[in-house]
């Protein structure tokens, strides 16, 4: 068997998340079906990030084992011809057949988009969280307070208050390498990007971090409140809302390349 | 009767164009239905640009007459509560009841987005023209040649070769104030924006200009070929393709404000 590692992009709107589930259209299912069709045998692709239902990706990493011998660059066109237009393979390289992208990921970067405007924008629909009525009296968000809170989130902390109740993992300590805010993203003054890079995440963690930063920007939570949550004072209910899935995109994954083999000839 | 002038934005994918047509969902129809519901009587909104089916807008201008007395800013929320999420009113001001935005438009600016990449991007689907197989051997477009052709298009010319066959107007002389190219639009190196500002346009004209610039970028047409077309040598068949509607957005309209009255108290 040969191994193939892919970078994939998708619009999350049409998928019940990444992870395969019976009777649901999922990204893992769609990519596995395409890889199976090209391979001529059943394939289950392994992913790097189990993105929630509705979450987008520009740089999800998946890998699979196949009996089909194809130069890696041929896999891109072969798989894309099998895929619907809301998911695409961007590049392909050879890897070990048992390569596990999840274990090779050094860090992952997510971007959360806020649409900071009273009136909705039809062209940002499904891509950014429209704050609308959350902006009282047409006011914007307090960028300085949000940046101060973002700086506190960086580093190694107990993020137990920033995960979904359904996440039952015992170790809730995680390391965020950077949390940055970019107002005016993509040239649109009303579009604010929150970019979070970390080594590992818990269920809904980035969406809860985004929701918490929104509450800091609105003055509903203070920077001190966030500091207290990171000290383990309080619980999930004291952090911000889980911001909606459609504002979130998995941008890229840094791989250790420990298990990746050189490109096929 | 009172007059209201609106700026409207829409995702063109769900509309059979701006102009009302029986049995079709159109932007003019949707805005008229919303204005009728709020007014309590039948209203037909008048637009500034009859955008084609599938074309988007960030700054379409429409106006209508109403018996309903509402402060202009209240119209924004009242209309948006009646509209589906693929169309929105961005702002509203008072105007004369018989104000005709089409006659008050000094110039209109359109943006055409090209996705200059071999592999498609699901997150640009419906927003940019993916060149894909038009890029032979993975090559990009010749930006210098495209910019030289764009510079030729600026000014007052006979654009008879740059309009749809269905456009039967006798006077085919139009003035383009600027035609610019921006590679790396919105921070994406593969996204090239063509921005066209002009005083008046013919049917499909911006899409044919975009298609012609693509052919110049691919080396299928030379800058001299474009110069010859502008001198009246050749015909529609000698210009480039009509680039697909989903790449085009009406960005903004400059109004003369001759007929606009001051904001209501």
């Amino acid at each position: 068997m040969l191994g193939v590692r892919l970078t994939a992009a998708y619009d999350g709107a049409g998928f019940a998340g990444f992870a395969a589930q019976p009777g649901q259209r999922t990204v893992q299912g769609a990519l596995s079906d395409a890889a199976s069709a090209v391979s001529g045998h059943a394939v289950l692709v392994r992913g790097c990030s189990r993105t929630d239902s509705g979450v987008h990706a520009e740089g999800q990493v998946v890998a699979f084992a196949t009996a089909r011998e194809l130069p890696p660059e041929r896999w891109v066109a072969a798989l894309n011809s099998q895929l619907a237009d809301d998911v695409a393979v961007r590049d392909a390289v050879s890897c070990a057949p048992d390569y596990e992208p999840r274990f090779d990921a050094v860090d992952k970067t997510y971007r959360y988009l806020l649409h900071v405007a009273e009136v909705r924008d039809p062209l940002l629909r499904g891509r950014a969280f429209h704050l609308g009525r959350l902006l009282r009296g047409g006011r914007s968000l307090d960028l300085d307070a949000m940046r101060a809170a973002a700086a506190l989130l960086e580093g190694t902390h107990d993020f137990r208050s920033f995960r979904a109740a359904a996440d039952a993992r015992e170790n809730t300590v995680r390391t965020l390498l950077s949390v940055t805010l970019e107002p005016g993203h993509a040239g649109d003054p009303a579009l604010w990007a929150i970019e979070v890079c970390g080594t590992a995440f818990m269920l809904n963690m980035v969406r809860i971090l985004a929701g918490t930063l929104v509450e800091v920007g609105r003055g509903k939570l203070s920077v001190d409140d966030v500091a207290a949550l990171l000290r383990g004072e309080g619980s999930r209910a004291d952090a911000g809302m889980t911001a909606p899935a459609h504002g979130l995109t998995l941008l890229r994954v840094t791989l250790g390349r420990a298990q990746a083999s050189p490109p096929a000839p």
Side-chain angles (χ1 to χ4, degrees), chain A residues 56-116:
Chain A
H56 316 295
E58 290 188 4
Q60 172 75 272
V61 176
V62 304
F64 59 95
T66 179
R68 178 81 186 269
E69 288 190 46
L70 270 185
E73 66 277 10
R74 290 275 306 277
W75 278 102
V76 176
L79 291 169
N80 282 335
S81 74
Q82 299 284 336
L83 291 165
D85 67 355
D86 57 353
V87 51
V89 172
R90 304 186 75 157
D91 56 58
V93 294
S94 295
C95 64
D98 61 348
Y99 174 74
E100 270 290 353
R102 200 156 54 93
F103 300 140
D104 195 32
V106 175
D107 60 57
K108 285 175 267 193
T109 302
Y110 293 89
R111 181 183 61 210
Y112 197 92
L113 286 182
L114 303 174
H115 181 216
V116 186

Side-chain angles (χ1 to χ4, degrees), chain A residues 196-242:
Chain A
V196 180
C197 176
T199 56
F201 295 89
M202 293 180 287
L203 189 62
N204 291 356
M205 182 169 155
V206 181
R207 292 165 56 190
I208 297 168
L209 292 171
T212 302
L213 290 175
V214 167
E215 297 300 46
V216 170
R218 296 171 69 212
K220 296 284 183 185
L221 287 174
S222 69
V223 178
D224 285 346
D225 291 334
V226 174
L229 286 167
L230 290 171
R231 284 195 305 268
E233 301 163 18
S235 66
R236 170 70 194 91
D238 301 302
M241 73 196 98
T242 303

Side-chain angles (χ1 to χ4, degrees), chain A residues 118-224:
Chain A
E118 269 195 286
V119 179
R120 60 193 162 78
D121 181 341
L123 293 166
L124 295 176
R125 184 176 45 125
R127 296 295 161 78
F129 174 26
H130 176 229
L131 296 182
R133 292 181 188 183
L134 295 181
L135 303 170
R136 283 169 309 169
R139 278 192 292 176
S140 187
L141 299 177
D142 182 339
L143 179 61
D144 290 340
M146 292 171 77
R147 284 194 159 140
L152 285 182
L153 294 168
E154 294 180 348
T156 301
H157 307 284
D158 186 340
F159 286 98
R160 67 175 63 229
S161 298
F162 299 90
R163 61 165 176 173
D167 191 311
R169 280 170 280 197
E170 287 207 356
N171 180 359
T172 52
V173 173
R174 296 289 184 279
T175 300
L176 297 184
L177 302 171
S178 64
V179 182
T180 56
L181 274 117
E182 182 208 2
H185 178 76
D188 183 340
L191 207 50
W192 293 24
I194 301 169
E195 214 170 285
V196 180
C197 176
T199 56
F201 295 89
M202 293 180 287
L203 189 62
N204 291 356
M205 182 169 155
V206 181
R207 292 165 56 190
I208 297 168
L209 292 171
T212 302
L213 290 175
V214 167
E215 297 300 46
V216 170
R218 296 171 69 212
K220 296 284 183 185
L221 287 174
S222 69
V223 178
D224 285 346

